[in-house]
Amino acid sequence: MDFLDVFSAWCIALSCTFTVPQAWRVVRHNTVEGVAILSQMQGFIAGGMWVVYGIAATEPVISLGNGVVTVGIGVVLVQMVRLNVLTKTQLMGILLGIYSFFVWLIFIKLKWLPWNTRSQVAVAIIPVVGLAVLIL
């Protein structure tokens, strides 16, 4: 076990520490009072993108840690829709807008990742699957 393994475990623990209790509180108390909608949506999209990156880079630690974050934030967003704080249409529109911004920023503007057929397919599939899960 080297420093990178310990550091990765620490990052996963912190991710779970800050996400899972929020989701638990929202479900247990059946309220989303005090939860910022836009920050939850940004966290959901960013976590999902990190999961995809972890899969593409064959880094299961990145996928696992951010998968937990994405699920936790997803639970909070679903509760927001359930409690009529946010309509499904609003949620889908805002999520697609934030997602599109990050795709543009990462692939087009900053060129952090290559814009090739593989990335284009991934960029197209992620929102379709995410919105299908949200609708169901």
Side-chain angles (χ1 to χ4, degrees), residues 10-95:
W10 178 252
C11 290
I12 290 173
L14 284 177
S15 297
C16 296
T17 300
F18 292 113
T19 306
V20 174
Q22 170 98 2
W24 177 256
R25 183 187 73 77
V26 163
V27 171
R28 181 172 176 148
H29 297 290
N30 204 29
T31 182
V32 290
E33 185 177 339
V35 177
I37 295 170
L38 289 177
S39 67
Q40 294 296 309
M41 290 186 198
Q42 185 275 335
F44 183 77
I45 291 170
M49 292 175 80
W50 274 108
V51 168
V52 171
Y53 171 78
I55 293 168
T58 61
E59 293 287 343
V61 173
I62 293 173
S63 296
L64 175 66
N66 287 288
V68 170
V69 170
T70 305
V71 169
I73 293 174
V75 167
V76 173
L77 290 173
V78 167
Q79 280 293 96
M80 287 180 167
V81 172
R82 267 193 61 238
L83 298 171
N84 295 322
V85 172
L86 195 62
T87 67
K88 281 187 181 181
T89 306
Q90 290 171 323
L91 178 63
M92 289 188 292
I94 294 170
L95 287 174

Coordinates of all heavy atoms in Angstrom, one line a residue, residues 10-95:
W10 N -8.8 8.0 1.3 CA -9.2 9.2 2.1 C -10.2 10.0 1.2 O -11.2 10.6 1.8 CB -8.0 10.0 2.4 CG -8.3 11.3 3.1 CD1 -8.2 12.6 2.6 CD2 -8.8 11.5 4.4 NE1 -8.6 13.5 3.5 CE2 -8.9 12.8 4.7 CE3 -9.0 10.6 5.5 CZ2 -9.4 13.3 5.9 CZ3 -9.5 11.1 6.7 CH2 -9.6 12.4 6.9
C11 N -10.0 10.2 -0.1 CA -10.9 11.0 -0.9 C -12.3 10.3 -1.0 O -13.3 11.0 -1.0 CB -10.3 11.1 -2.3 SG -8.9 12.2 -2.4
I12 N -12.3 9.0 -1.1 CA -13.6 8.3 -1.2 C -14.3 8.5 0.2 O -15.6 8.7 0.2 CB -13.4 6.8 -1.5 CG1 -12.9 6.6 -2.9 CG2 -14.7 6.0 -1.2 CD1 -12.6 5.2 -3.3
A13 N -13.6 8.4 1.3 CA -14.2 8.5 2.6 C -14.8 9.9 2.7 O -15.9 10.1 3.2 CB -13.2 8.3 3.7
L14 N -14.1 10.9 2.3 CA -14.6 12.3 2.4 C -15.8 12.5 1.5 O -16.8 13.2 1.9 CB -13.5 13.3 2.0 CG -12.5 13.6 3.0 CD1 -11.4 14.5 2.4 CD2 -13.0 14.1 4.3
S15 N -15.8 11.9 0.3 CA -17.0 12.0 -0.6 C -18.2 11.4 0.0 O -19.3 12.0 0.0 CB -16.7 11.3 -1.9 OG -15.6 11.9 -2.6
C16 N -18.0 10.3 0.6 CA -19.2 9.6 1.3 C -19.6 10.4 2.5 O -20.8 10.5 2.8 CB -18.8 8.2 1.7 SG -18.5 7.1 0.3
T17 N -18.7 10.9 3.2 CA -19.0 11.7 4.5 C -19.8 12.9 4.2 O -20.7 13.3 5.0 CB -17.7 12.1 5.2 OG1 -16.9 10.9 5.5 CG2 -17.9 12.9 6.4
F18 N -19.6 13.6 3.1 CA -20.3 14.8 2.8 C -21.6 14.6 2.0 O -22.5 15.4 1.9 CB -19.4 15.8 2.1 CG -18.4 16.3 2.9 CD1 -17.0 16.0 2.7 CD2 -18.7 17.1 4.0 CE1 -16.0 16.5 3.5 CE2 -17.7 17.6 4.9 CZ -16.3 17.3 4.6
T19 N -21.8 13.4 1.3 CA -22.9 13.2 0.5 C -24.0 12.3 1.1 O -25.2 12.6 1.1 CB -22.4 12.5 -0.9 OG1 -21.4 13.4 -1.4 CG2 -23.6 12.4 -1.8
V20 N -23.6 11.2 1.6 CA -24.5 10.2 2.2 C -25.4 10.8 3.3 O -26.6 10.6 3.3 CB -23.8 8.9 2.5 CG1 -24.7 7.9 3.2 CG2 -23.2 8.2 1.3
P21 N -24.8 11.5 4.3 CA -25.6 12.0 5.4 C -26.7 13.0 4.9 O -27.8 13.0 5.4 CB -24.6 12.7 6.3 CG -23.4 12.0 6.0 CD -23.4 11.7 4.6
Q22 N -26.4 13.8 3.8 CA -27.3 14.7 3.3 C -28.5 14.0 2.7 O -29.7 14.3 2.9 CB -26.7 15.6 2.2 CG -27.6 16.4 1.4 CD -27.7 17.8 1.8 OE1 -27.0 18.2 2.8 NE2 -28.6 18.6 1.2
A23 N -28.2 12.9 1.9 CA -29.3 12.1 1.3 C -30.1 11.4 2.4 O -31.3 11.4 2.3 CB -28.6 11.1 0.3
W24 N -29.4 10.9 3.4 CA -30.1 10.3 4.5 C -31.1 11.2 5.2 O -32.2 10.9 5.5 CB -29.1 9.7 5.5 CG -29.8 9.0 6.7 CD1 -29.9 9.5 7.9 CD2 -30.5 7.8 6.7 NE1 -30.6 8.7 8.8 CE2 -30.9 7.6 8.0 CE3 -30.8 6.8 5.8 CZ2 -31.7 6.5 8.4 CZ3 -31.5 5.7 6.2 CH2 -31.9 5.5 7.5
R25 N -30.6 12.5 5.5 CA -31.4 13.5 6.2 C -32.7 13.8 5.3 O -33.8 13.9 5.8 CB -30.6 14.7 6.5 CG -31.4 15.8 7.2 CD -30.7 17.1 7.4 NE -30.6 17.9 6.2 CZ -31.6 18.6 5.7 NH1 -32.8 18.6 6.3 NH2 -31.4 19.3 4.6
V26 N -32.4 14.0 4.0 CA -33.5 14.4 3.1 C -34.6 13.3 3.1 O -35.8 13.6 3.1 CB -33.0 14.7 1.7 CG1 -34.1 14.7 0.7 CG2 -32.2 16.0 1.7
V27 N -34.2 12.1 3.0 CA -35.2 11.0 3.0 C -35.8 10.8 4.3 O -37.1 10.6 4.4 CB -34.5 9.6 2.5 CG1 -35.4 8.5 2.7 CG2 -34.0 9.8 1.1
R28 N -35.0 10.8 5.4 CA -35.6 10.5 6.7 C -36.6 11.6 7.2 O -37.6 11.3 7.7 CB -34.5 10.4 7.7 CG -35.0 10.1 9.1 CD -33.9 9.8 10.1 NE -34.5 9.6 11.4 CZ -34.1 8.8 12.3 NH1 -33.0 8.0 12.0 NH2 -34.7 8.7 13.4
H29 N -36.2 12.8 7.0 CA -37.1 13.9 7.4 C -38.1 14.4 6.4 O -38.9 15.3 6.7 CB -36.2 15.1 7.9 CG -35.4 14.7 9.1 ND1 -35.9 14.5 10.4 CD2 -34.0 14.6 9.2 CE1 -34.9 14.2 11.2 NE2 -33.7 14.2 10.5
N30 N -38.0 13.8 5.2 CA -38.9 14.1 4.1 C -39.0 15.6 3.8 O -40.0 16.2 3.6 CB -40.3 13.6 4.4 CG -41.1 13.4 3.2 OD1 -40.5 13.1 2.1 ND2 -42.4 13.5 3.3
T31 N -37.8 16.3 3.8 CA -37.7 17.7 3.5 C -36.4 18.0 2.8 O -35.4 17.3 3.0 CB -37.9 18.6 4.8 OG1 -37.8 20.0 4.4 CG2 -36.8 18.3 5.8
V32 N -36.5 19.0 2.0 CA -35.3 19.5 1.3 C -35.0 20.9 1.6 O -34.2 21.6 0.9 CB -35.4 19.3 -0.3 CG1 -35.3 17.8 -0.6 CG2 -36.6 20.0 -0.8
E33 N -35.5 21.3 2.8 CA -35.3 22.7 3.2 C -33.8 23.0 3.4 O -33.1 22.2 4.1 CB -36.0 22.9 4.5 CG -35.9 24.4 5.0 CD -36.7 24.6 6.3 OE1 -37.7 23.8 6.6 OE2 -36.4 25.6 7.0
G34 N -33.3 24.1 2.9 CA -31.9 24.5 3.0 C -31.0 23.8 2.0 O -29.8 24.0 2.1
V35 N -31.5 23.0 1.1 CA -30.6 22.4 0.1 C -30.6 23.3 -1.2 O -31.7 23.6 -1.7 CB -31.2 21.0 -0.2 CG1 -30.3 20.3 -1.3 CG2 -31.2 20.1 1.0
A36 N -29.4 23.6 -1.6 CA -29.3 24.4 -2.8 C -29.5 23.6 -4.1 O -28.7 22.6 -4.3 CB -27.9 25.1 -2.9
I37 N -30.5 23.9 -4.9 CA -30.8 23.1 -6.1 C -29.7 23.1 -7.1 O -29.3 22.0 -7.5 CB -32.1 23.7 -6.7 CG1 -33.3 23.5 -5.7 CG2 -32.4 23.0 -8.0 CD1 -34.5 24.2 -6.2
L38 N -29.2 24.3 -7.4 CA -28.1 24.3 -8.5 C -26.9 23.6 -8.1 O -26.2 22.9 -8.9 CB -27.8 25.7 -8.9 CG -29.0 26.4 -9.7 CD1 -28.6 27.9 -9.9 CD2 -29.3 25.7 -10.9
S39 N -26.5 23.7 -6.8 CA -25.2 23.0 -6.4 C -25.4 21.5 -6.4 O -24.5 20.7 -6.8 CB -24.8 23.4 -5.0 OG -25.7 23.1 -4.0
Q40 N -26.6 21.0 -6.1 CA -26.9 19.6 -6.2 C -26.9 19.1 -7.6 O -26.3 18.0 -7.9 CB -28.3 19.3 -5.6 CG -28.4 19.5 -4.1 CD -27.5 18.6 -3.3 OE1 -27.5 17.4 -3.5 NE2 -26.7 19.2 -2.5
M41 N -27.4 19.9 -8.5 CA -27.4 19.5 -9.9 C -26.0 19.5 -10.5 O -25.6 18.6 -11.2 CB -28.3 20.4 -10.8 CG -29.7 20.2 -10.5 SD -30.7 21.2 -11.6 CE -32.2 21.3 -10.7
Q42 N -25.2 20.5 -10.2 CA -23.8 20.5 -10.6 C -23.0 19.3 -10.1 O -22.3 18.7 -10.8 CB -23.2 21.9 -10.2 CG -21.8 22.1 -10.7 CD -20.7 21.4 -9.9 OE1 -20.8 21.2 -8.7 NE2 -19.6 21.1 -10.5
G43 N -23.2 19.0 -8.8 CA -22.6 17.9 -8.2 C -22.9 16.6 -8.8 O -22.1 15.7 -9.0
F44 N -24.2 16.4 -9.2 CA -24.7 15.2 -9.8 C -24.0 15.0 -11.2 O -23.6 13.9 -11.5 CB -26.2 15.3 -10.0 CG -26.9 14.1 -10.6 CD1 -27.0 13.0 -9.8 CD2 -27.3 14.1 -11.9 CE1 -27.6 11.8 -10.4 CE2 -27.9 13.0 -12.4 CZ -28.0 11.8 -11.7
I45 N -24.0 16.1 -12.0 CA -23.4 16.0 -13.3 C -21.9 15.8 -13.2 O -21.3 14.9 -13.9 CB -23.7 17.3 -14.1 CG1 -25.2 17.3 -14.5 CG2 -22.9 17.3 -15.4 CD1 -25.7 18.6 -15.1
A46 N -21.2 16.5 -12.3 CA -19.8 16.4 -12.2 C -19.4 15.0 -11.7 O -18.5 14.3 -12.2 CB -19.2 17.4 -11.2
G47 N -20.2 14.4 -10.8 CA -20.0 13.1 -10.3 C -20.1 12.1 -11.4 O -19.3 11.1 -11.5
G48 N -21.2 12.2 -12.2 CA -21.4 11.3 -13.3 C -20.3 11.3 -14.3 O -19.9 10.3 -14.8
M49 N -19.8 12.6 -14.6 CA -18.7 12.7 -15.5 C -17.4 12.0 -15.0 O -16.7 11.4 -15.7 CB -18.5 14.1 -15.9 CG -19.6 14.7 -16.7 SD -19.5 16.5 -17.0 CE -18.3 16.4 -18.3
W50 N -17.2 12.2 -13.7 CA -16.0 11.5 -13.1 C -16.1 10.0 -13.1 O -15.1 9.3 -13.2 CB -15.8 12.0 -11.6 CG -15.0 13.3 -11.6 CD1 -15.4 14.5 -11.3 CD2 -13.6 13.4 -11.9 NE1 -14.4 15.4 -11.3 CE2 -13.3 14.8 -11.7 CE3 -12.6 12.5 -12.2 CZ2 -12.0 15.3 -11.9 CZ3 -11.3 13.0 -12.4 CH2 -11.0 14.4 -12.2
V51 N -17.3 9.5 -12.9 CA -17.5 8.1 -13.0 C -17.2 7.6 -14.4 O -16.4 6.6 -14.6 CB -19.0 7.7 -12.7 CG1 -19.3 6.2 -13.1 CG2 -19.3 7.9 -11.2
V52 N -17.6 8.3 -15.4 CA -17.3 7.9 -16.8 C -15.8 8.0 -17.1 O -15.2 7.1 -17.7 CB -18.1 8.8 -17.8 CG1 -17.6 8.6 -19.2 CG2 -19.5 8.6 -17.7
Y53 N -15.2 9.1 -16.5 CA -13.7 9.2 -16.7 C -13.0 8.0 -16.0 O -12.1 7.5 -16.6 CB -13.2 10.5 -16.1 CG -11.7 10.6 -16.0 CD1 -11.0 10.9 -17.2 CD2 -11.0 10.3 -14.8 CE1 -9.6 10.9 -17.1 CE2 -9.6 10.4 -14.8 CZ -8.9 10.6 -16.0 OH -7.6 10.7 -15.9
G54 N -13.4 7.7 -14.8 CA -12.8 6.5 -14.1 C -12.9 5.2 -14.9 O -12.0 4.4 -14.9
I55 N -14.1 5.0 -15.5 CA -14.3 3.9 -16.4 C -13.4 3.9 -17.6 O -12.7 2.9 -17.9 CB -15.7 3.7 -16.8 CG1 -16.6 3.4 -15.5 CG2 -15.9 2.6 -17.8 CD1 -18.1 3.5 -15.8
A56 N -13.3 5.1 -18.3 CA -12.5 5.2 -19.5 C -11.0 5.1 -19.1 O -10.3 4.5 -19.9 CB -12.8 6.5 -20.1
A57 N -10.6 5.6 -18.0 CA -9.2 5.5 -17.6 C -8.8 4.2 -16.8 O -7.7 4.1 -16.4 CB -8.8 6.7 -16.8
T58 N -9.8 3.3 -16.7 CA -9.7 2.1 -15.9 C -9.1 2.4 -14.5 O -8.2 1.8 -14.1 CB -8.8 1.0 -16.7 OG1 -7.5 1.6 -16.9 CG2 -9.4 0.6 -18.0
E59 N -9.8 3.3 -13.9 CA -9.4 3.7 -12.5 C -10.7 3.4 -11.6 O -11.5 4.3 -11.5 CB -9.0 5.2 -12.4 CG -7.7 5.5 -13.1 CD -6.5 5.0 -12.3 OE1 -6.7 4.6 -11.1 OE2 -5.5 4.9 -12.9
P60 N -10.9 2.2 -11.1 CA -12.1 1.9 -10.4 C -12.3 2.7 -9.1 O -13.4 2.9 -8.7 CB -11.9 0.4 -10.0 CG -10.5 0.1 -10.2 CD -9.9 1.1 -11.2
V61 N -11.2 3.2 -8.5 CA -11.3 4.0 -7.3 C -12.1 5.3 -7.6 O -12.9 5.7 -6.9 CB -9.9 4.3 -6.7 CG1 -10.0 5.3 -5.6 CG2 -9.3 3.0 -6.3
I62 N -11.7 5.9 -8.8 CA -12.4 7.2 -9.2 C -13.9 6.9 -9.5 O -14.8 7.6 -9.0 CB -11.7 7.8 -10.4 CG1 -10.3 8.3 -10.0 CG2 -12.5 8.9 -11.0 CD1 -9.5 8.7 -11.2
S63 N -14.2 5.8 -10.2 CA -15.5 5.5 -10.5 C -16.3 5.2 -9.2 O -17.5 5.6 -9.1 CB -15.6 4.2 -11.4 OG -15.0 4.6 -12.6
L64 N -15.8 4.4 -8.3 CA -16.5 4.0 -7.0 C -16.8 5.3 -6.2 O -17.9 5.5 -5.8 CB -15.6 3.0 -6.2 CG -16.2 2.7 -4.9 CD1 -17.5 1.9 -5.0 CD2 -15.2 1.9 -4.1
G65 N -15.8 6.1 -5.9 CA -16.0 7.2 -5.1 C -17.0 8.2 -5.6 O -17.9 8.7 -5.0
N66 N -16.9 8.5 -6.9 CA -17.8 9.4 -7.5 C -19.2 8.8 -7.8 O -20.2 9.5 -7.9 CB -17.2 10.0 -8.8 CG -16.1 11.0 -8.5 OD1 -16.4 12.1 -8.0 ND2 -14.9 10.6 -8.6
G67 N -19.2 7.5 -7.9 CA -20.5 6.8 -8.1 C -21.3 7.0 -6.8 O -22.6 7.2 -6.9
V68 N -20.7 6.8 -5.6 CA -21.4 7.1 -4.4 C -21.9 8.5 -4.3 O -23.1 8.7 -3.9 CB -20.5 6.7 -3.2 CG1 -21.1 7.2 -1.9 CG2 -20.1 5.3 -3.1
V69 N -21.1 9.4 -4.7 CA -21.5 10.9 -4.7 C -22.7 11.1 -5.6 O -23.7 11.7 -5.2 CB -20.3 11.8 -5.1 CG1 -20.8 13.2 -5.3 CG2 -19.3 11.7 -4.0
T70 N -22.6 10.5 -6.8 CA -23.7 10.7 -7.8 C -25.0 10.1 -7.3 O -26.1 10.7 -7.4 CB -23.3 10.1 -9.1 OG1 -22.1 10.7 -9.5 CG2 -24.3 10.3 -10.2
V71 N -25.0 8.9 -6.7 CA -26.2 8.3 -6.2 C -26.8 9.1 -5.0 O -28.0 9.4 -4.9 CB -25.9 6.8 -5.7 CG1 -27.1 6.3 -4.9 CG2 -25.6 6.0 -6.9
G72 N -25.9 9.6 -4.1 CA -26.4 10.4 -3.0 C -27.0 11.6 -3.4 O -28.1 12.0 -2.9
I73 N -26.4 12.3 -4.3 CA -27.0 13.6 -4.8 C -28.2 13.3 -5.7 O -29.2 14.0 -5.6 CB -26.0 14.4 -5.6 CG1 -24.8 14.9 -4.7 CG2 -26.6 15.6 -6.3 CD1 -23.7 15.5 -5.4
G74 N -28.2 12.2 -6.4 CA -29.4 11.8 -7.1 C -30.6 11.6 -6.2 O -31.8 11.9 -6.6
V75 N -30.4 11.0 -5.1 CA -31.5 10.8 -4.1 C -32.1 12.1 -3.7 O -33.3 12.3 -3.6 CB -31.0 10.0 -2.9 CG1 -32.0 10.0 -1.7 CG2 -30.7 8.5 -3.3
V76 N -31.2 13.1 -3.4 CA -31.7 14.4 -3.0 C -32.5 15.1 -4.1 O -33.5 15.6 -3.9 CB -30.5 15.3 -2.6 CG1 -30.9 16.8 -2.4 CG2 -29.7 14.8 -1.4
L77 N -32.0 15.0 -5.4 CA -32.8 15.5 -6.5 C -34.1 14.9 -6.7 O -35.1 15.5 -7.0 CB -31.9 15.4 -7.8 CG -30.7 16.3 -7.8 CD1 -29.9 16.0 -9.1 CD2 -31.1 17.8 -7.8
V78 N -34.2 13.6 -6.5 CA -35.4 12.9 -6.6 C -36.4 13.3 -5.6 O -37.6 13.5 -5.8 CB -35.2 11.3 -6.6 CG1 -36.5 10.6 -6.4 CG2 -34.5 10.9 -7.8
Q79 N -35.9 13.5 -4.4 CA -36.7 14.0 -3.3 C -37.2 15.5 -3.6 O -38.4 15.8 -3.2 CB -36.0 14.1 -1.9 CG -35.9 12.7 -1.3 CD -37.3 12.3 -0.8 OE1 -38.0 11.5 -1.5 NE2 -37.7 12.7 0.4
M80 N -36.4 16.3 -4.2 CA -36.9 17.6 -4.6 C -38.0 17.5 -5.6 O -39.0 18.3 -5.5 CB -35.7 18.4 -5.2 CG -34.7 18.8 -4.3 SD -33.3 19.7 -5.1 CE -32.5 20.5 -3.7
V81 N -38.0 16.6 -6.5 CA -39.1 16.4 -7.4 C -40.3 15.9 -6.7 O -41.4 16.3 -6.9 CB -38.7 15.5 -8.6 CG1 -39.9 15.2 -9.5 CG2 -37.6 16.2 -9.4
R82 N -40.1 14.9 -5.8 CA -41.2 14.3 -5.1 C -41.9 15.3 -4.2 O -43.1 15.3 -4.1 CB -40.7 13.2 -4.2 CG -40.8 11.8 -4.7 CD -40.5 10.7 -3.7 NE -41.6 10.7 -2.7 CZ -41.3 10.8 -1.4 NH1 -40.1 11.0 -0.9 NH2 -42.3 10.8 -0.5
L83 N -41.2 16.2 -3.6 CA -41.8 17.2 -2.7 C -42.2 18.5 -3.5 O -42.5 19.5 -2.8 CB -40.8 17.6 -1.6 CG -40.4 16.4 -0.7 CD1 -39.3 16.8 0.2 CD2 -41.6 15.9 0.1
N84 N -42.2 18.5 -4.8 CA -42.7 19.6 -5.7 C -41.9 20.8 -5.5 O -42.4 21.9 -5.7 CB -44.2 19.8 -5.5 CG -45.0 18.7 -5.9 OD1 -44.7 18.1 -6.9 ND2 -46.0 18.4 -5.2
V85 N -40.6 20.7 -5.0 CA -39.7 21.9 -5.0 C -39.2 22.2 -6.4 O -39.0 23.3 -6.8 CB -38.5 21.6 -4.0 CG1 -37.5 22.7 -4.1 CG2 -39.0 21.4 -2.6
L86 N -39.2 21.1 -7.2 CA -38.7 21.2 -8.6 C -39.5 20.3 -9.4 O -39.8 19.2 -9.0 CB -37.2 20.7 -8.5 CG -36.3 20.9 -9.7 CD1 -36.1 22.4 -9.9 CD2 -35.0 20.3 -9.3
T87 N -40.0 20.8 -10.6 CA -40.7 19.9 -11.5 C -39.7 19.1 -12.3 O -38.5 19.5 -12.5 CB -41.6 20.7 -12.5 OG1 -40.8 21.4 -13.3 CG2 -42.5 21.6 -11.7
K88 N -40.2 18.0 -12.9 CA -39.3 17.1 -13.7 C -38.8 17.9 -14.9 O -37.6 17.8 -15.3 CB -40.0 15.9 -14.1 CG -40.0 14.8 -13.1 CD -40.6 13.5 -13.6 CE -40.7 12.5 -12.5 NZ -41.2 11.2 -13.1
T89 N -39.6 18.7 -15.5 CA -39.2 19.5 -16.7 C -38.1 20.5 -16.3 O -37.1 20.6 -17.0 CB -40.4 20.2 -17.2 OG1 -41.5 19.2 -17.5 CG2 -40.1 20.9 -18.5
Q90 N -38.3 21.2 -15.2 CA -37.3 22.1 -14.7 C -36.0 21.4 -14.5 O -34.9 21.8 -14.9 CB -37.7 22.8 -13.5 CG -38.8 23.8 -13.7 CD -39.3 24.3 -12.3 OE1 -39.4 23.6 -11.4 NE2 -39.7 25.6 -12.3
L91 N -36.1 20.3 -13.8 CA -34.9 19.5 -13.4 C -34.1 19.0 -14.7 O -32.9 19.2 -14.8 CB -35.3 18.3 -12.6 CG -34.1 17.4 -12.2 CD1 -33.1 18.1 -11.3 CD2 -34.7 16.1 -11.4
M92 N -34.9 18.5 -15.7 CA -34.2 18.0 -16.9 C -33.6 19.2 -17.7 O -32.5 19.1 -18.2 CB -35.3 17.3 -17.8 CG -35.7 15.9 -17.2 SD -36.7 15.0 -18.3 CE -38.2 15.9 -18.3
G93 N -34.3 20.3 -17.7 CA -33.8 21.4 -18.5 C -32.5 22.0 -17.8 O -31.5 22.3 -18.5
I94 N -32.5 22.1 -16.5 CA -31.3 22.7 -15.8 C -30.2 21.7 -15.9 O -29.0 22.0 -16.2 CB -31.7 23.0 -14.4 CG1 -32.6 24.2 -14.3 CG2 -30.4 23.4 -13.6 CD1 -33.2 24.5 -13.0
L95 N -30.4 20.4 -15.7 CA -29.4 19.4 -15.8 C -28.8 19.3 -17.2 O -27.5 19.3 -17.4 CB -29.9 18.0 -15.5 CG -30.2 17.7 -14.0 CD1 -30.8 16.4 -13.8 CD2 -28.9 17.8 -13.2

